[in-house]
Amino acid sequence: MRVLMIGPPGAGKGTQGARIARHFHIPHIATGEVLRDHVSRGTAIGRAAQGHLDRGELVPDSLLFNAVRGAFAAGGFVLDGMPRTLDQARSLERLGMTADVAVHLHADDEELTRRLLARGASGGRSDDVEPVIRERLRRYHELAAPLTAWYRLRGMLVSLDATRPAHLVGRDVLAALT
Ligand code: AMP
């Protein structure tokens, strides 16, 4: 099983991605986590990525692919947080990292902002603050439509309403994959 998670920040890609990974016994590769880990270890990739993460901007593709390449194993995966652009979707296809299904979680900006501010307030991530959240959501909306269209065209897209409680979304996610 090879799954891509697509959705705005705060939609629950991490929560649902982890659930899918547990269910199918496959690795959960969260690109944001991989990049934050590089930053906290102070690697060359982390030093180059840090400013982009702090500003809520996408890191350049060369850095991103260098960071996640090592995480891919043969067999299945849940790739969470990538692709975020059509170029990344094309690169994944070119590299043979194609998937069976793209799970698309959607929710409105008001709900997403509320969730991200709550996560920020409970000692979560430094990019969960108002101006950076706004930038991350703006960026997502700018790029999401062509990306979802790409996977819809390939018959791979499963779109789910992620405004509901996580356990209900999770039930639908697993139902769509089994
Ligand atoms: P996330 O944990 O998915 O919200 O990602 C946190 C940050 O990591 C993003 O705001 C970007 O700066 C960076 N990032 C994660 N995934 C990607 C990606 N596919 N392309 C570019 N930047 C990414």
Side-chain angles (χ1 to χ4, degrees):
M1 174 68 70
R2 293 174 149 211
V3 182
L4 306 177
M5 304 299 295
I6 298 176
K13 299 187 299 294
T15 304
Q16 303 303 339
R19 186 185 299 242
I20 297 167
R22 268 198 313 275
H23 185 84
F24 292 103
H25 305 288
I26 49 181
H28 177 210
I29 306 164
T31 55
E33 289 289 330
V34 172
L35 290 164
R36 281 189 292 279
D37 180 57
H38 273 280
V39 171
S40 67
R41 286 188 289 122
T43 67
I45 290 174
R47 290 196 302 278
Q50 177 151 32
H52 299 281
L53 268 78
D54 288 346
R55 292 187 295 272
E57 294 167 1
L58 298 184
V59 307
D61 282 0
S62 54
L63 266 186
L64 173 76
F65 278 86
N66 274 340
V68 298
R69 204 187 321 259
F72 280 100
F77 55 75
V78 181
L79 186 53
D80 163 2
M82 179 185 182
R84 269 167 150 95
T85 65
L86 260 191
D87 269 356
Q88 290 179 6
R90 290 197 189 96
S91 297
L92 285 175
E93 205 166 79
R94 206 171 40 244
L95 294 167
M97 297 174 185
T98 47
D100 310 300
V101 56
V103 174
H104 171 222
L105 301 178
H106 56 89
D108 59 82
D109 279 9
E110 209 175 310
E111 170 67 10
L112 297 167
T113 304
R114 197 186 58 70
R115 289 182 187 179
L116 293 167
L117 286 174
R119 186 168 74 179
S122 66
R125 290 162 36 175
S126 59
D127 57 351
D128 286 337
V129 290
E130 227 273 320
V132 184
I133 290 171
R134 207 175 320 121
E135 171 60 16
R136 287 156 64 206
L137 288 173
R138 189 192 67 75
R139 181 76 47 151
Y140 176 78
H141 291 305
E142 188 177 275
L143 299 168
L147 199 57
T148 50
W150 165 278
Y151 289 110
R152 192 174 293 115
L153 201 68
R154 283 159 175 70
M156 289 169 57
L157 197 72
V158 173
S159 274
L160 295 168
D161 174 11
T163 318
R164 297 165 302 150
H167 70 281
L168 296 180
V169 179
R171 192 192 58 193
D172 289 357
V173 167
L174 291 185
L177 297 179
T178 46

